[in-house]
Amino acid sequence: MGKYANHEEFGANAPVNYREDSTSESFLKGMSAITPPGMKPKQSRGRKFEEKTDFKASASWHHNFDVAMFGGSDLGTSDFENRQMTIEKGSGGVKRISGRK
C-alpha cells in the first residue's frame, strides 16, 4: 500500500513536504554527489531550484499527481491555490505527516 490512502491525505501532506524538502541545500547536496572530482555545483542553481518549488509549483505538481493517482480533483480551477491551502490545513481532520521517510 502507498504512503497516502486517499486524495485528502495526499493533499494535506505531500505538497507541504515537497516544499519543505526542496531546498537549495538538498539540491546542492544531491548534485555534489554526482559532480566530477574537483568540481562543485553552482550556488545560483540551488537558489533557482528552490524558487521553482514554491507554493504555486507544488500546487501544480499536486494537481498532476492527483490526476494520475486519484482521477483528478477541482485543483485545476482558477482558484486552485485557495483550494490547495484548504486541503493542506487538514480539512476533514486529516493528520499531517511531516517530512519524508
Side-chain angles (χ1 to χ4, degrees):
M1 184 170 127
K3 186 172 182 177
Y4 307 111
N6 55 43
H7 173 256
E8 288 73 28
E9 206 172 280
F10 173 76
N13 289 285
V16 182
N17 293 341
Y18 170 79
R19 287 194 305 276
E20 289 174 354
D21 295 344
S22 299
T23 63
S24 60
E25 291 83 19
S26 66
F27 175 83
L28 294 172
K29 182 179 176 185
M31 292 303 292
S32 294
I34 62 170
T35 56
M39 298 184 78
K40 64 180 189 175
K42 295 179 182 178
Q43 296 289 325
S44 61
R45 291 192 182 193
R47 286 190 300 273
K48 287 180 184 179
F49 172 77
E50 192 166 347
E51 289 169 7
K52 292 182 179 186
T53 55
D54 62 1
F55 179 80
K56 194 168 188 128
S58 68
S60 175
W61 165 80
H62 172 204
H63 172 69
N64 293 336
F65 192 88
D66 177 45
V67 168
M69 296 301 293
F70 304 109
S73 69
D74 55 2
L75 290 176
T77 61
S78 60
D79 65 339
F80 72 93
E81 291 176 353
N82 289 330
R83 293 174 190 269
Q84 176 64 35
M85 194 55 90
T86 301
I87 291 172
E88 286 183 17
K89 288 181 181 174
S91 62
V94 175
K95 185 177 179 183
R96 172 90 163 85
I97 305 168
S98 60
R100 295 183 198 178
K101 292 182 181 176

